[in-house]
Amino acid sequence: MRLVDLTRMLDSADFERLPEPVKASASVLVPQVDYFAPDGKGAEVMCATFGCERHHLPGGEGWGEERVRINTHLGTHVDAPLHYGTMCEGKPARTIGDIDLSELYCDGLVLDVRPWAKPNTGVTVEALQAALEANGGTVTPGCALMIRTGQEAYDLSQIEWYAYPGMTRQGTLFLAELGAKILGTDAVGWDRPFGVMRRVFRETGNPAEIWDGHFAGRDREVFIVQQLDNLRAVPPHGFKVGFFPMRLNRCSA
């Protein structure tokens, strides 16, 4: 059995690589990490813990540890229904700790929308239908449908990475009504970019343009996964995929 990791590597040093306009959103892109190396702070902490000196430790080294501060929506992550609001399908929305692991291990399909998707625009239902037809697989109840938008061509240092094709309310509900429970994307976010939705709302005054892809999850319970990486390495269908988040109580991701 071949295993493929679909998570994005997280590196605190990436903050310096972020384009200036997106540094305000760094908490969902880059972790804050204090590194305690065995030959540095790790040894100091160990000496303080055991009341010893560096020469008492093997090679003068202690343990290695890191102290990390993260946003629950950092990097490749699973959105729980609580992320979309306090109610889902007329019931209290579930948190990430409420979701059983059996719901997060399922059949997977990759819908390649690259021929139709365009930067800063919503992926249409017609594009999703075409991608599903080209995939040739079968959507099974509770499966994961992962959208390959082509964002793999860029990384977080490039402004193009933030001008991604996003999902709309119509597209989200279309996938959910097929029977999928997990909806994923290789883009930074599930919806159209925030700046795009803000501009369209300003121009139209229509509140339905605000975060409509995520808010669709209030009406149909789905788990949204963002910032998937390496979708090119998995086949269109015929595989199992697991999404195993940190077990955080009362959290939305």
Side-chain angles (χ1 to χ4, degrees):
M1 179 175 63
R2 184 171 68 101
L3 298 179
V4 177
D5 186 356
L6 298 179
T7 58
R8 184 171 68 79
M9 178 67 77
L10 300 177
D11 187 349
S12 61
D14 278 340
F15 182 80
E16 299 304 324
R17 302 175 61 227
L18 296 179
E20 204 60 40
V22 302
K23 284 191 172 179
S25 301
S27 71
V28 297
L29 301 169
V30 181
Q32 297 178 38
V33 184
D34 290 327
Y35 296 91
F36 287 62
D39 59 351
K41 287 185 178 180
E44 294 173 12
V45 171
M46 200 164 184
C47 286
T49 300
F50 291 96
C52 63
E53 297 179 2
R54 291 283 288 267
H55 65 85
H56 294 124
L57 304 176
E61 294 188 346
W63 54 49
E65 67 170 295
E66 294 73 42
R67 301 180 184 183
V68 184
R69 182 177 179 85
I70 65 167
N71 185 315
T72 54
H73 299 268
L74 170 69
T76 311
H77 63 278
V78 180
D79 286 343
L82 182 66
H83 188 44
Y84 330 133
T86 59
M87 300 295 289
C88 176
E89 296 184 351
K91 299 174 289 188
R94 290 199 285 172
T95 69
I96 200 69
D98 293 330
I99 301 171
D100 191 83
L101 285 183
S102 63
E103 300 177 78
L104 298 170
Y105 181 73
C106 58
D107 296 330
L109 290 83
V110 176
L111 302 187
D112 190 347
V113 300
R114 289 178 300 164
W116 307 280
K118 297 178 181 178
N120 288 325
T121 59
V123 178
T124 65
V125 170
E126 290 74 20
L128 295 171
Q129 289 173 321
L132 187 61
E133 189 171 320
N135 178 283
T138 301
V139 178
T140 57
C143 74
L145 296 179
M146 297 175 287
I147 311 300
R148 187 181 179 191
T149 69
Q151 289 304 101
E152 63 207 36
Y154 313 107
D155 67 29
L156 86 177
S157 70
Q158 298 171 284
I159 200 67
E160 293 88 351
W161 201 57
Y162 306 92
Y164 50 88
M167 294 294 295
T168 65
R169 174 181 174 82
Q170 291 79 14
T172 303
L173 292 178
F174 169 74
L175 297 178
E177 287 163 4
L178 291 174
K181 190 69 171 185
I182 301 170
L183 307 179
T185 180
D186 60 0
V188 179
W190 179 250
D191 295 75
R192 295 162 294 165
F194 282 12
V196 172
M197 292 184 288
R198 179 185 176 94
R199 173 179 54 79
V200 174
F201 172 64
R202 185 175 65 244
E203 293 171 352
T204 66
N206 183 3
E209 297 287 353
I210 298 174
W211 217 43
D212 54 322
H214 270 86
F215 278 152
R218 296 166 66 98
D219 301 323
R220 185 69 179 255
E221 188 186 65
V222 289
F223 312 137
I224 294 175
V225 182
Q226 296 164 108
Q227 299 185 42
L228 288 166
D229 189 48
N230 206 25
L231 284 180
R232 66 166 77 85
V234 294
H237 62 270
F239 61 91
K240 291 286 188 179
V241 60
F243 305 89
F244 303 133
M246 292 168 57
R247 199 176 183 192
L248 295 169
N249 196 23
R250 305 188 304 277
C251 288
S252 63

